[in-house]
Amino acid sequence: MLIVMNHSATQEDINAVTAVIDAMGYIAAPIPGRERTAIGVLGNQGYVDDSKILELPGVQQVIHVSKPYKLVSRDFHPENTIVDVAGVRVGQGCRPVVVAGPCAVESEEQIVKTALFVKKAGADMLRGGAFKPRTGPHTFQGMREEGLKLLSLAGRESGLPIVTEVMSPDNVGLVAEYADLLQVGARNMQNFDLLRELGRIRKPVLLKRGMSATLEEFLAAAEYILAEGNEQVILCERGIRTYETATRNTLDLAVAPLIKEMSHLPIMVDPSHATGKRSLVPPMTLAALMAGAHGVLVEVHPEPEKALSDGPQSLTFQGFDALMTDVRRLTAFLGY
Ligand code: PEP
Ligand code: MN
């Protein structure tokens, strides 16, 4: 429920409303705005009787929010959230960011070489998986802590903030020691214990959309992180399962502008996992930026044909360099 105060409501009026909400056993979350204050009501499991609230001085309107998310919604939080990843700002009004790197960290040489190259080409952050969520157990599962150390070394050598996936709540502390931005993969979007744990740290989180999650489920997953107190969340569209098999997933590009209507959180797009095909990554990267994404996540590998995972969708160094030339042109056109 959202209580909208009228613009002449005083602080006493606001305090009186929060006192009534407290007495009803719920949590009041005042949201000061330029024109007027709104007060969010949290902690209710169902419909809240608003009769006592409607009669209080200064109350203009009560809106019943039936969505499973509140803290992530624009209704509760009209101002855009800007997420700061080790000094790189992500969100509305900021230059769109490019996160680049291999699917997985494979060796010191591979990750350091990639880091230095993508930095030179203009990337803003380095990605690389150390804990890999593979479909089958007989494939490369990642270098785990050793991979985190190599990623951190590559981050230091290139000066790029690092982004890496965390798969289990038990590893949140470990991954947070190394990563600047902790990624939740599509397969773990509804790992609620993991989301809660990430809500308790003070580092930003990149939450990828589950491959068969609706937008409502996606935002409700983000709500778990915010509900524990961590508001530094970036959402990421990475394609969904459809009947189409020509691409690895179907890039649901309309979510970039749609998420901006529904939520104040930044939205990025991952054209690599969304398409699964190297040749489609550059055009879909540009399309995502044109659609208003706050950033893109692109897989790049020094020798994609030898990659231990996701080689067919990884750009070569040359391909990434060419893409960055187009990205710069497009972002200049967009006014950044
Ligand atoms: C990845 O980023 O390498 C990854 C596994 O992505 P997703 O969770 O979107 O499949
Ligand atoms: Mn991958």
Side-chain angles (χ1 to χ4, degrees):
M1 190 165 79
L2 190 65
I3 299 152
V4 182
M5 305 298 290
N6 59 41
H7 66 268
S8 57
T10 63
Q11 191 57 48
E12 274 103 79
D13 294 340
I14 294 166
N15 294 346
V17 173
T18 58
V20 169
I21 296 167
D22 285 349
M24 290 164 93
Y26 306 131
I27 301 157
I31 309 158
R34 242 169 275 147
E35 298 275 311
R36 49 172 54 87
T37 293
I39 302 166
V41 178
L42 302 172
N44 58 303
Q45 306 273 330
Y47 188 84
V48 177
D49 176 11
D50 59 13
S51 52
K52 283 206 198 78
I53 294 165
L54 276 169
E55 67 198 19
L56 293 172
V59 172
Q60 177 176 311
Q61 194 191 1
V62 171
I63 303 169
H64 291 272
V65 184
S66 57
K67 299 173 191 138
Y69 55 88
K70 295 177 180 176
L71 299 171
V72 308
S73 79
R74 277 247 181 243
D75 304 335
F76 268 56
H77 188 301
E79 310 288 325
N80 294 307
T81 289
I82 306 294
V83 175
D84 188 312
V85 182
V88 177
R89 287 160 60 77
V90 185
Q92 194 64 21
C94 306
R95 181 180 55 77
V97 298
V98 176
V99 181
C103 181
V105 179
E106 299 170 357
S107 68
E108 177 175 333
E109 194 199 345
Q110 174 242 22
I111 193 67
V112 171
K113 207 169 153 185
T114 309
L116 295 175
F117 185 84
V118 299
K119 165 74 183 177
K120 196 166 106 223
D124 301 287
M125 296 181 214
L126 174 69
R127 62 149 289 151
F131 293 89
K132 292 305 301 174
R134 304 305 301 283
T135 301
H138 307 302
T139 50
F140 177 60
Q141 303 287 309
M143 292 179 76
R144 305 176 74 86
E145 189 166 0
E146 183 56 24
L148 294 176
K149 290 191 175 138
L150 295 179
L151 193 59
S152 155
L153 169 73
R156 283 196 306 275
E157 296 218 348
S158 62
L160 291 173
I162 59 175
V163 186
T164 197
E165 178 160 352
V166 57
M167 286 174 28
S168 105
D170 302 340
N171 283 336
V172 167
L174 173 70
V175 176
E177 277 177 38
Y178 295 93
D180 296 299
L181 175 60
L182 285 83
Q183 174 176 327
V184 178
R187 291 157 192 80
N188 271 312
M189 188 203 81
Q190 285 185 317
N191 181 339
F192 301 118
D193 284 341
L194 174 63
L195 300 175
R196 278 198 200 92
E197 202 55 41
L198 288 165
R200 297 185 193 120
I201 61 167
R202 288 296 161 263
K203 281 215 167 163
V205 176
L206 178 75
L207 177 65
K208 291 184 121 187
R209 181 183 181 184
M211 56 189 85
S212 42
T214 63
L215 280 202
E216 187 166 279
E217 288 162 343
F218 188 19
L219 293 174
E223 183 86 4
Y224 272 88
I225 304 172
L226 272 75
E228 293 294 331
N230 187 356
E231 294 185 352
Q232 295 279 291
V233 175
I234 301 171
L235 303 167
C236 181
E237 161 64 31
R238 46 77 73 206
I240 50 170
R241 270 277 159 87
T242 65
Y243 55 81
E244 181 55 75
T245 55
T247 47
R248 182 177 181 183
N249 291 288
T250 296
L251 177 52
D252 189 5
L253 208 45
V255 307
L258 190 51
I259 287 273
K260 290 191 191 179
E261 289 177 17
M262 298 163 80
S263 175
H264 53 90
L265 297 175
I267 171 79
M268 300 203 359
V269 171
D270 172 348
S272 304
H273 293 87
T275 63
K277 201 166 181 300
R278 183 174 311 122
S279 64
L280 302 180
V281 173
M284 290 302 105
T285 298
L286 300 173
L289 295 175
M290 200 62 215
H294 297 121
V296 288
L297 211 72
V298 178
E299 286 186 342
V300 180
H301 196 285
E303 293 173 288
E305 65 290 351
K306 293 196 186 144
L308 298 180
S309 62
D310 289 349
Q313 69 194 32
S314 299
L315 295 183
T316 60
F317 283 2
Q318 197 191 7
F320 181 68
D321 205 28
L323 172 60
M324 287 306 291
T325 303
D326 288 344
V327 165
R328 269 190 295 276
R329 281 202 199 115
L330 180 57
T331 47
F333 169 75
L334 294 171
Y336 295 102

